């Protein structure tokens, strides 16, 4: 893992804090606690994990997600309380410790991606705190089975992560082959390119570079996050076109990007949200396109686990169960979690 991409609370859809936790200076952090989810395996990845944790912690009377960060099996890192807020993960250690949950449970094996992401997060925590933080499992601060035998053994072994290398400081420059790698972004047709840019358009650039024979700096495939590897590969492509100096620093210009892709991509305007079609379109015996639209959005939001053959157009008990889980995960809907969408359920689902 060469960089930490932390998915913000706003991105995964966190609710406003129910009484914002106290702010904590990073200089007070001295420990890094690893947690797991509990006794059962966790099969989901993505935003649904965070919404489920949030609903659970709000149900316990907490302000929201109690961990500072959560890491799923795909290696995604999600913001909970972040770097600057007091956690609720380990009594007597919520100020001195940063709490990170790896979203597995029981005897489940943590993935290499999850371990690498957690180790990268640890290195970043040490850098921000200005000291080496003690590596600990939850049970080191409070009598519990957490983080389970496998994660705890990993922590006690020093948190190894294969060929993991600490991420470079995004604020500086990374020397490579005696030269500094350019780290800035440009915007072309509403899309960002350069270090830290993110999106399918970044992946497309990387794939085209590989097709042209300019992919030697990739170690795990191109995109969707623009890294130093993209810059170095793009720089070689620019030089092949005869560019020199600043024009060949690895950051796209309109001319070179058009030469690579054939045309300049532009930012796609988001589709308008569909209006609520009415309660009479849902429930037993109903069959229409609105049921399909509902089911597809539930899947996108991470609430499609009860489908066995895909959503819609005929209403089924799978639709009801998925809608009910979505309602229970949102406090403003949980009081009437009947599994039938009303205007508020629809509005929140498509927000």
């Amino acid at each position: 893992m060469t960089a930490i991409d932390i998915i913000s609370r706003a991105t995964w859809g966190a609710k406003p804090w129910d009484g914002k936790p106290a702010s904590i200076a990073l200089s007070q952090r001295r420990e890094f606690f690893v947690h797991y989810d509990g006794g059962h395996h966790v099969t989901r990845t993505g935003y649904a994990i965070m919404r489920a944790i949030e609903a659970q912690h709000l149900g316990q009377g907490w302000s929201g997600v109690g961990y500072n960060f959560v890491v799923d099996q795909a290696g995604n890192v999600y913001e909970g309380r972040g770097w600057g807020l007091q956690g609720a993960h380990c009594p007597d250690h919520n100020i001195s410790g940063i709490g990170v949950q790896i979203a597995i449970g029981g005897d489940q094996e943590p993935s290499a991606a999850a371990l690498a992401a957690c180790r990268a997060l640890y290195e970043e925590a040490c850098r921000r705190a200005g000291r080496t933080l003690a590596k600990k499992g939850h049970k080191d601060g409070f009598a519990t089975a957490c983080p389970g035998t496998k994660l705890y053994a990993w922590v006690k072994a020093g948190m190894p992560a294969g060929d993991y290398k600490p991420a470079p400081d995004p604020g500086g420059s990374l020397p490579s082959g005696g030269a500094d790698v350019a780290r800035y972004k440009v915007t072309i047709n509403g899309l960002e390119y350069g270090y830290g840019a993110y999106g399918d358009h970044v992946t497309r650039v990387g794939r085209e570079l590989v097709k042209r024979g300019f992919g030697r700096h990739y170690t795990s495939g191109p995109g969707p996050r623009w890294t130093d590897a993209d810059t170095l590969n793009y720089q070689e492509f620019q030089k092949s076109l005869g560019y020199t100096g600043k024009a060949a620093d690895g950051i796209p210009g309109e001319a070179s990007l058009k030469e690579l892709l054939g045309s300049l991509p532009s930012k796609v305007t988001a589709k308008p949200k569909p209006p609520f079609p009415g309660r009479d379109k849902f429930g037993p015996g109903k069959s229409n396109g609105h049921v399909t639209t509902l089911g597809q959005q539930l899947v996108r939001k991470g609430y499609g686990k009860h489908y066995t053959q895909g959503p819609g157009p005929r209403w089924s008990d799978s639709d009801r169960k998925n809608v009910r889980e979505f309602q229970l995960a949102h406090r403003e809907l949980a009081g009437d979690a009947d599994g039938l969408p009303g205007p508020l359920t629809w509005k929140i689902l498509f927000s």
Side-chain angles (χ1 to χ4, degrees):
M1 187 168 183
T2 58
I4 306 173
D5 180 20
I6 298 175
I7 299 170
S8 70
R9 286 171 48 81
T11 299
W12 64 258
K15 300 178 185 299
W17 291 112
D18 185 10
K20 191 171 182 179
S23 296
I24 300 297
L26 278 163
S27 59
Q28 294 180 265
R29 307 293 196 182
R30 287 173 169 75
E31 303 158 300
F32 187 94
F33 283 92
V34 176
H35 301 254
Y36 77 163
D37 190 68
H40 302 286
H41 287 200
V42 178
T43 58
R44 289 185 293 180
T45 59
Y47 299 172
I49 284 179
M50 294 305 296
R51 290 191 285 264
I53 293 173
E54 180 182 60
Q56 178 188 21
H57 288 187
L58 284 169
Q60 294 173 195
W62 296 359
S63 299
V65 175
Y67 304 108
N68 296 95
F69 300 98
V70 175
V71 178
D72 70 12
Q73 284 282 67
N76 299 309
V77 179
Y78 302 91
E79 178 189 27
R81 303 208 171 183
W83 299 112
L85 297 180
Q86 180 175 334
H89 55 95
C90 189
D92 298 326
H93 297 271
N94 291 322
I95 293 176
S96 62
I98 290 177
V100 177
Q101 186 205 76
I102 295 182
I104 62 171
D107 61 353
Q108 189 174 357
E109 287 283 353
S111 70
L115 296 181
C118 187
R119 178 56 189 267
L121 201 57
Y122 169 78
E123 297 288 348
E124 179 66 7
C126 293
R127 187 184 71 81
R128 288 172 177 258
R131 61 166 58 88
T132 299
L133 303 181
K135 304 183 184 80
K136 294 187 176 183
H138 187 185
K139 63 171 58 182
D140 291 322
F142 184 76
T144 177
C146 180
T149 55
K150 292 183 178 179
L151 268 184
Y152 191 63
W154 176 71
V155 172
K156 301 310 284 184
M159 296 171 58
D163 60 356
Y164 163 76
K165 295 180 180 179
D169 180 357
S173 59
L174 180 65
S176 176
D180 288 340
V181 179
R183 286 194 165 178
Y184 67 94
K185 287 185 283 191
V186 296
T187 300
I188 302 174
N189 274 7
L191 296 172
E192 287 189 328
Y193 300 89
Y195 188 79
Y198 185 88
D200 292 338
H201 63 291
V202 174
T203 304
R204 182 184 172 190
V205 168
R207 288 174 177 170
E208 288 300 321
L209 286 169
V210 171
K211 287 181 183 177
R212 298 281 194 106
F214 299 99
R216 71 186 182 95
H217 294 284
Y218 291 128
T219 58
S220 59
R225 174 72 63 187
W226 190 288
T227 68
D228 289 328
D230 293 285
T231 302
L232 292 169
N233 288 329
Y234 201 91
Q235 183 179 45
E236 292 184 358
F237 169 68
Q238 288 169 324
K239 289 180 178 179
S240 76
L241 299 177
Y243 295 169
T244 60
K246 176 70 174 177
D249 65 357
I251 305 302
E254 288 190 9
S256 64
L257 189 62
K258 187 174 181 179
E259 176 68 28
L260 178 68
L261 303 179
S263 62
L264 296 178
S266 59
K267 193 171 185 179
V268 178
T269 304
K271 294 181 180 179
K273 300 172 185 175
F276 180 60
R279 297 178 188 272
D280 60 332
K281 300 298 190 294
F282 307 100
K286 303 297 181 180
S287 181
N288 53 70
H290 302 299
V291 176
T292 302
T293 299
L294 171 76
Q296 290 172 341
Q297 186 68 1
L298 285 166
V299 171
R300 291 189 195 102
K301 291 281 188 173
Y303 295 90
K305 74 174 185 179
H306 294 288
Y307 290 128
T308 57
Q309 296 180 332
R314 182 172 297 280
W315 180 270
S316 68
D317 198 49
S318 296
D319 293 292
R320 182 190 65 79
K321 289 178 179 178
N322 288 328
V323 171
R324 186 171 187 275
E325 286 197 1
F326 176 79
Q327 290 169 330
L328 288 172
H330 294 78
R331 185 170 50 179
E332 58 268 59
L333 302 173
D336 188 26
D338 59 2
L340 294 172
L344 183 57
T345 297
W346 188 270
K347 178 180 178 182
I348 296 172
L349 179 62
F350 284 91
S351 62

